[in-house]
Amino acid sequence: MTGPDGPPAQPDVLVRPGTGADLAEVADVHLRSRRAAHPAMPPGAHPDTEVRSWFATWDLSARELWVAQEGGRVVAYAALAGDWLDDLYVLPGAAGRGLGSLLLETVKAQRPDGFCLWVFETNTAARAFYARHGLVELERTDGSANEERAPDLRVAWPGREPLVFLRGLIDEVDDQLGDLLARRAALTAAVQPHKGHTRRDPDRERAIAVAMAQRAPALGVERLHRIVDVVITESLDAAREG
């Protein structure tokens, strides 16, 4: 995802909902913008012909498309799916004139309660663009979940009520965390009869914390080591009580 910024867009630019007739031009904007952004963005995972075919199949009753049109052609677009901004791209020759800002403000108006998006970690221009427009970086991944296998970041615009939006995201994470803690407790109990002794393994627990720190560097090894200790201690206590 790109995020070009610049002076206010020219008055002859029309921002409107996209239609099926725009999809070929939208695909062209996507491909040309991605190529121009290299190496800040990794190469696409599919050949151009596959990308164009995929765009041609878009169901605009399930996906929201906005385009910026200038001189009768599409020069930028934004695509949304639910409360996710999937794409925001500007044709390289039209960059630097505020089209990205214009589309982003349109997206904000369409999603006043907030939305999220993914941006590649190496795409510093896009990250700076979103930061200037009030979006915040929430989490980093190693890229194993995207097709390019490139580290990325979850970015969010928290909307008109940031506390409500961010607490909603926290609730989602807490649901996942509850499931993971239940699994961890069950596995901790299950492994005890197979250990051959009742002692805990501090070296293994330290290694777990080190591995976790690769995923959660902001917490660091020492904090994570303390968290691991609590999780294991409480899981063992629950197993004994059970």
Side-chain angles (χ1 to χ4, degrees):
M1 180 170 297
T2 60
D5 200 3
Q10 301 301 314
D12 58 345
V13 173
L14 172 65
V15 174
R16 59 170 176 79
T19 70
D22 299 313
L23 292 177
E25 286 186 286
V26 166
D28 190 57
V29 172
H30 178 95
L31 290 167
R32 292 175 63 183
S33 180
R34 285 290 300 259
R35 280 196 292 269
H38 184 75
M41 294 182 71
H46 301 276
D48 288 5
T49 52
E50 287 186 13
V51 173
R52 292 184 189 279
S53 296
W54 176 67
F55 272 93
T57 67
W58 276 17
D59 177 2
L60 296 184
S61 67
R63 186 191 305 266
E64 190 173 339
L65 176 65
W66 288 86
V67 299
Q69 189 174 22
E70 184 179 44
R73 65 171 184 154
V74 173
V75 292
Y77 79 96
L80 299 109
D83 57 0
W84 282 88
L85 174 59
D86 285 343
D87 286 353
L88 197 165
Y89 289 100
V90 176
L91 203 64
R97 294 192 286 110
L99 296 174
S101 298
L102 191 60
L103 281 171
L104 187 58
E105 292 306 312
T106 300
V107 171
K108 287 181 179 181
Q110 298 302 311
R111 298 292 186 275
D113 294 326
F115 59 87
C116 292
L117 60 97
W118 291 102
V119 62
F120 290 112
E121 186 174 20
T122 54
N123 196 350
T124 54
R127 293 170 60 185
F129 165 78
Y130 291 121
R132 286 195 297 274
H133 286 275
L135 281 72
V136 294
E137 295 181 351
L138 298 180
E139 64 180 283
R140 287 172 167 79
T141 83
D142 61 4
S144 57
N146 62 52
E147 290 187 320
E148 293 84 358
R149 299 297 186 265
D152 56 5
L153 300 97
R154 184 177 185 174
V155 178
W157 183 62
R160 57 191 170 188
E161 295 188 62
L163 182 61
V164 173
F165 177 81
L166 294 172
R167 278 182 170 170
L169 296 183
I170 289 171
D171 289 344
E172 291 177 12
V173 172
D174 286 345
D175 285 344
Q176 297 168 18
L177 183 58
D179 291 339
L180 289 173
L181 288 172
R183 289 169 56 194
R184 185 59 163 91
L187 288 166
T188 299
V191 78
Q192 299 309 309
H194 303 281
K195 289 172 60 177
H197 58 78
T198 59
R199 298 185 306 276
R200 288 171 60 170
D201 186 343
D203 290 338
R204 173 172 168 76
E205 292 178 18
R206 180 79 180 183
I208 292 170
V210 170
M212 285 183 171
Q214 298 296 315
R215 291 180 169 272
L219 289 174
V221 173
E222 297 309 318
R223 288 189 182 89
L224 288 166
H225 197 187
R226 292 194 291 272
I227 292 170
V228 168
D229 177 71
V230 170
V231 169
I232 294 175
T233 298
E234 297 301 327
S235 296
L236 289 171
D237 284 350
R240 283 192 288 269
E241 290 175 3

